[in-house]
């Protein structure tokens, strides 16, 4: 049996749409929280 070729237009419609862009304050908050968590981990790790 021959395989059917997928229609690119049909594939594009079934794929979920990309997530909307995050607003700038939310992005900054996320970066700050990640940096704070990294600093906290560094502080409590044993130093050689």
């Amino acid at each position: 049996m021959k395989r059917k070729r997928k229609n690119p237009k049909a594939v594009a419609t079934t794929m979920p749409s990309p997530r909307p862009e995050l607003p700038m304050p939310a992005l900054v908050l996320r970066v700050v929280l990640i940096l704070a968590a990294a600093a906290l981990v560094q502080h409590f790790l044993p130093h050689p």
Side-chain angles (χ1 to χ4, degrees), residues 3 6 8 14 16 18 21-22 28-29 31-32 34-35 37 43:
R3 281 186 173 229
K6 288 186 180 176
T14 58
E21 289 291 321
L22 277 177
V28 170
L29 180 66
V31 170
V32 168
I34 290 171
L35 290 176
H43 179 73

Side-chain angles (χ1 to χ4, degrees), residues 1-15:
M1 280 180 66
K2 256 188 171 181
R3 281 186 173 229
K4 267 185 148 181
R5 206 173 224 196
K6 288 186 180 176
N7 184 356
K9 287 182 184 173
V11 172
T13 56
T14 58
M15 286 177 64

